[in-house]
């Protein structure tokens, strides 16, 4: 089975994106994958903002990307694009760090007007970093993610069904062992 890095790019301390990803991590783990969570907001802000490539926490994050077979990239939509926090980490990673990797892009947002942010904003960045296969992503409305008292989430039924489909496609792509050659 694959090693999956599950990256939340939300700066929020009460992030729906992060909670959604941790919820989905359980599904991927149940498929037999080894899932490693990474919340970018847990990395040192000084290192992210001042491009400290050599900071131990950044070096460790880079190692997690390099060792993963698959990567879930989750971001809130901010100003019609991915979060600046996510970009601040991506900018500190090698240009081709996603070479040979299968990537699942996910976004949460407040309006369906920005449902395409995954495709016009996030997907091109991931492709430029060499991702071998970017599977179909999904945009989840924030109102469809309810934070429960135990800090986990409940996801709207139709949304969960859609997420189950994209997770299954992601998992199948990883199991296929798609070519690890550099993307064009
Ligand atoms: C600064 C800021 C900008 C936002 N911009 C957008 C936007 O352009 N489009 C959208 O659909 N939602 C936007 N939202 C709503 C968030 O994307 C949405 O609430 C998301 O689920 C927040 O995720 P989080 O809890 O993980 O931070 C914005 C929220 C904030 C705080």
């Amino acid at each position: 089975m694959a090693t999956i890095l599950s990256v939340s790019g939300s700066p929020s301390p009460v992030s729906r994106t992060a909670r959604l990803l941790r919820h989905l991590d359980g599904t991927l783990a149940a498929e037999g994958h080894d899932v490693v969570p990474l919340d970018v907001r847990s990395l040192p802000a000084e290192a992210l903002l001042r491009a400290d490539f050599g900071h131990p926490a950044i070096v460790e994050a880079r190692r997690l990307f390099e060792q993963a077979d698959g990567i879930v990239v989750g971001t809130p939509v901010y100003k019609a694009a991915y979060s600046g926090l996510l970009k601040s980490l991506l900018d500190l990673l090698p240009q081709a760090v996603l070479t040979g990797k299968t990537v699942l892009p996910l976004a949460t947002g407040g309006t369906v007007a920005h449902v395409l942010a995954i495709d016009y904003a996030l997907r091109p960045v991931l492709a430029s970093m060499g991702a071998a296969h970017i599977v179909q992503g999904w945009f989840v409305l924030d109102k469809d993610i309810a934070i429960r008292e135990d800090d986990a989430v409940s996801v709207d039924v139709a949304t969960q069904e859609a997420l189950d489909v994209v997770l299954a496609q992601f998992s199948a792509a990883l199991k296929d062992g798609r070519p690890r050659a550099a993307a064009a």
Side-chain angles (χ1 to χ4, degrees):
M1 290 301 165
T3 297
I4 297 172
L5 181 64
S6 174
V7 183
S8 166
S10 174
S12 169
V14 287
S15 168
R16 281 182 160 72
T17 308
R19 284 168 175 76
L20 178 68
L21 259 63
R22 302 303 151 245
H23 168 72
L24 300 179
D25 291 350
T27 304
L28 291 167
E31 283 276 307
H33 299 298
D34 185 13
V35 183
V36 179
L38 175 64
D39 291 337
V40 184
R41 76 178 303 275
S42 71
L43 299 176
E46 184 82 3
L48 291 168
L49 288 176
R50 295 182 181 268
D52 186 354
F53 289 84
H55 190 290
I58 301 301
V59 171
E60 172 62 9
R62 171 181 172 164
R63 188 187 68 80
L64 293 176
F65 272 81
E66 289 171 342
Q67 291 190 343
D69 304 300
I71 301 181
V72 180
V73 179
T75 180
V77 175
Y78 282 177
K79 304 292 189 287
Y82 47 77
S83 72
L85 180 68
L86 176 63
K87 188 64 158 56
S88 69
L89 175 61
L90 296 180
D91 288 350
L92 296 186
L93 300 174
Q95 182 65 49
V97 75
L98 299 181
T99 297
K101 302 186 191 301
T102 300
V103 181
L104 169 62
L106 296 174
T108 72
T111 167
V112 290
H114 291 150
V115 69
L116 290 178
I118 285 181
D119 292 320
Y120 65 65
L122 183 56
R123 189 176 285 268
V125 177
L126 301 173
S128 81
M129 297 177 75
H133 187 201
I134 307 171
V135 300
Q136 183 189 351
W138 203 256
F139 172 94
V140 180
L141 277 173
D142 53 9
K143 74 173 180 58
D144 291 336
I145 308 166
I147 301 178
R148 302 192 316 226
E149 277 186 11
D150 64 358
D151 213 34
V153 291
S154 298
V155 180
D156 163 79
V157 173
T159 301
Q160 183 65 59
E161 286 174 4
L163 286 167
D164 286 344
V165 171
V166 297
L167 281 186
Q169 290 170 345
F170 176 56
S171 185
L174 283 165
K175 288 175 185 168
D176 276 357
R178 282 176 181 271
R180 291 171 172 262

